[in-house]
């Protein structure tokens, strides 16, 4: 056993952390700025991440994954995001939204057909809940799946789908019975190569620019009955349960961005001189360093704690909604604080594309928005505490 503060890390944890760190520094760091600039999807590095087992860390080896635990997943994702959050987004969706959802709710045949290629990195997976008129209020979607014999006919428009421009498979949430509201939503496994699946407008984003995001249009898409994930009407609960796992991934991503911002600030505060002294000598800077460090370590505790809660849930079946929401809320606000502070400490050069600090700042913002905004996390936590849900 090695150690990491309160958390007992095994040699296996240390080795995946080291492997992710080496890979990120050697393979991602040299290309991150270029992919951010062009907004191209980094196919080569993502393929290599698949070969190393990073695209299905918690998936058992017999389904193409690395067969490790949630803490291993979080440690690896943190290291990747410390170098480039966009690679982290692609990795997070593959692992926690796509593979995790099918491993939890899918049939054996669905696991074989969809998890095996995605966990092994041969194909990319996506998760599609949001629509142009339904974001935080996820239960009000307008897209429809109508049962016709042994299949469903799907029509509608989904938006903000991470990896949609390159995904081979998508976990889709759509309405099968609008009268039942959220209890009328069902989940489906979609093959992007089939007719009726149309990739729509690509989003020109502020940050995580190398992670491709677009709309998807369904135009009379025929989905066979055996591709329904779970029972009819169970879609909303599946979406929420899967997002609980996803939020731990985003929290780990935020932790990585915060750490990168901190490391850059620390080096700069030690080296840069002004008014005849190192700028770290000024309390205006040193107190910011103290606040960043403290918030980052508090985030780490929440993120690793949420990972352990998810790991326990594999045996008990209990929900880890609260742990995931607290980790995401605190870590994402810490990422934004740390990145904002890092730009300020660096001054002019922090605003320049010569350094990655401005990229951390742009990338950090999304962690407060996707997979549930900070407001939604506060809603989830407070409702549970007040016993309102
Ligand atoms: N796990 C399992 N079930 C859950 C759940 C979870 N984490 N959260 C809610 N549910 C269940 C509830 O138990 C309830 O079940 P019943 O129908 O049996 O009563 C049902 O889902 C509806 O829950 P609730 O009444 O809380 O739904 P609301 O419409 O009030 O919505 C919020 C709840 C706002 C928390 C939810 O819509 C949400 O998380 N929105 C954000 C969506 C999001 O993250 N979008 C980003 C997409 S990915 S980029």
């Amino acid at each position: 056993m090695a150690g990491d503060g309160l958390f007992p890390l095994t040699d296996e944890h240390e080795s995946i952390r080291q492997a992710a760190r080496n890979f990120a520094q050697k393979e991602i760091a040299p290309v991150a700025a270029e992919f951010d600039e062009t907004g191209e999807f980094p196919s080569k590095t993502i393929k290599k991440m698949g070969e190393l087992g990073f695209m299905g860390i918690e998936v058992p080896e017999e389904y193409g994954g690395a067969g490790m635990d949630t803490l291993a997943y979080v440690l690896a994702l943190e290291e990747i995001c410390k170098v480039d959050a966009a690679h982290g987004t692609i990795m997070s969706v593959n692992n926690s939204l796509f593979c995790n959802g099918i491993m939890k709710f899918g049939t054996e045949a669905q696991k074989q057909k969809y998890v095996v290629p995605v966990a092994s990195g041969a194909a990319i997976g996506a998760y599609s809940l949001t629509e142009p008129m339904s974001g935080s209020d996820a239960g009000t979607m307008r897209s429809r799946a109508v049962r016709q014999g042994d299949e469903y006919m799907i029509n509608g428009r989904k938006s903000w789908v991470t990896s949609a421009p390159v995904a081979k498979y998508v976990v889709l949430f759509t309405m099968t019975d609008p009268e039942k509201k959220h209890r009328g939503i069902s989940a489906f496994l979609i093959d992007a190569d089939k007719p009726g699946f149309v990739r729509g407008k690509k989003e020109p984003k502020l940050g995580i620019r190398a992670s491709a995001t677009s709309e998807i249009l369904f135009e009379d898409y025929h989905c066979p009955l055996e591709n329904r994930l779970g029972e009819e009407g169970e879609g909303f609960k599946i979406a929420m349960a899967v997002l609980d796992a996803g939020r731990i991934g985003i929290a780990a991503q935020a932790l990585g961005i915060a750490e990168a911002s901190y490391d850059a600030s620390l080096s700069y505060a030690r080296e840069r001189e002004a008014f005849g002294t190192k700028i770290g000598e000024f309390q205006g800077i040193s107190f910011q360093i103290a606040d960043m460090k403290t918030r980052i370590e508090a985030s780490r505790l929440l993120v690793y704690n949420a990972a352990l809660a998810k790991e326990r849930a594999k045996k008990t079946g209990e929900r880890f909604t609260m742990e995931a929401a607290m980790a995401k809320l605190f870590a994402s606000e810490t990422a934004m604080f740390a990145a904002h502070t890092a730009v300020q400490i660096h001054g002019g050069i922090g605003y320049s594309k010569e350094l990655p600090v401005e990229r951390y700042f742009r990338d950090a913002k999304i962690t407060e928005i996707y997979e549930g905004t900070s407001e939604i996390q506060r809603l989830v936590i407070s409702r549970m505490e007040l016993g309102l849900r």
Side-chain angles (χ1 to χ4, degrees), residues 152-172:
Y152 289 86
M153 177 77 86
I154 303 181
N155 278 289
R157 180 189 293 263
K158 307 297 282 189
S159 55
W160 286 103
V161 188
T162 298
S163 296
V166 291
K168 189 162 166 52
Y169 305 117
V170 182
V171 176
L172 169 75

Side-chain angles (χ1 to χ4, degrees), residues 136 182-183 237 240 243-244 247 321 371-372 383 389:
S136 292
H182 73 264
R183 290 187 182 148
K237 285 193 185 180
M240 291 300 119
L243 274 176
D244 285 344
R247 287 167 185 170
T321 305
E371 299 199 25
R383 274 179 177 183
R389 284 287 194 282

Side-chain angles (χ1 to χ4, degrees), residues 113-253:
K113 182 167 176 201
Y114 296 99
V115 174
V116 171
V118 172
S120 60
I124 299 286
Y127 168 103
S128 174
L129 176 70
T130 301
E131 297 189 357
M133 295 306 291
S134 149
S136 292
D137 189 6
T140 55
M141 56 186 63
R142 294 178 183 182
S143 64
R144 296 277 179 274
V146 178
R147 175 92 181 251
Q148 295 179 348
D150 281 349
E151 61 176 26
Y152 289 86
M153 177 77 86
I154 303 181
N155 278 289
R157 180 189 293 263
K158 307 297 282 189
S159 55
W160 286 103
V161 188
T162 298
S163 296
V166 291
K168 189 162 166 52
Y169 305 117
V170 182
V171 176
L172 169 75
F173 300 90
T174 186
M175 198 60 99
T176 40
D177 190 344
E179 283 181 11
K180 293 191 181 152
K181 306 216 164 116
H182 73 264
R183 290 187 182 148
I185 293 172
S186 304
F188 298 93
L189 297 170
I190 301 296
D191 291 59
D193 296 335
K194 283 183 49 173
F197 180 95
V198 181
R199 296 178 212 267
K201 175 179 76 86
K202 208 176 153 202
E203 295 297 345
K205 305 193 300 279
L206 172 72
I208 54 159
R209 291 173 37 77
S211 137
T213 311
S214 75
E215 290 194 333
I216 304 174
L217 289 93
F218 289 90
E219 295 173 353
D220 286 347
Y221 179 95
H222 295 254
C223 182
L225 192 55
E226 71 257 23
N227 277 28
R228 197 183 61 218
L229 184 65
E231 295 301 317
E232 208 171 276
E234 272 184 0
F236 190 78
K237 285 193 185 180
I238 294 174
M240 291 300 119
V242 172
L243 274 176
D244 285 344
R247 287 167 185 170
I248 299 176
I250 303 309
Q253 175 180 49

Side-chain angles (χ1 to χ4, degrees), residues 73-149:
Y73 165 57
V74 155
L75 291 166
L77 188 53
E78 180 187 336
E79 290 301 327
I80 298 291
C81 294
K82 225 164 146 176
V83 171
D84 183 39
H87 278 77
T89 300
I90 302 158
M91 175 177 164
S92 172
V93 169
N94 241 50
N95 276 273
S96 39
L97 296 187
F98 189 90
C99 294
N100 171 63
I102 303 173
M103 287 310 296
K104 194 159 179 196
F105 297 100
T107 62
E108 182 55 31
Q110 289 173 341
K111 290 177 195 170
Q112 291 294 344
K113 182 167 176 201
Y114 296 99
V115 174
V116 171
V118 172
S120 60
I124 299 286
Y127 168 103
S128 174
L129 176 70
T130 301
E131 297 189 357
M133 295 306 291
S134 149
S136 292
D137 189 6
T140 55
M141 56 186 63
R142 294 178 183 182
S143 64
R144 296 277 179 274
V146 178
R147 175 92 181 251
Q148 295 179 348

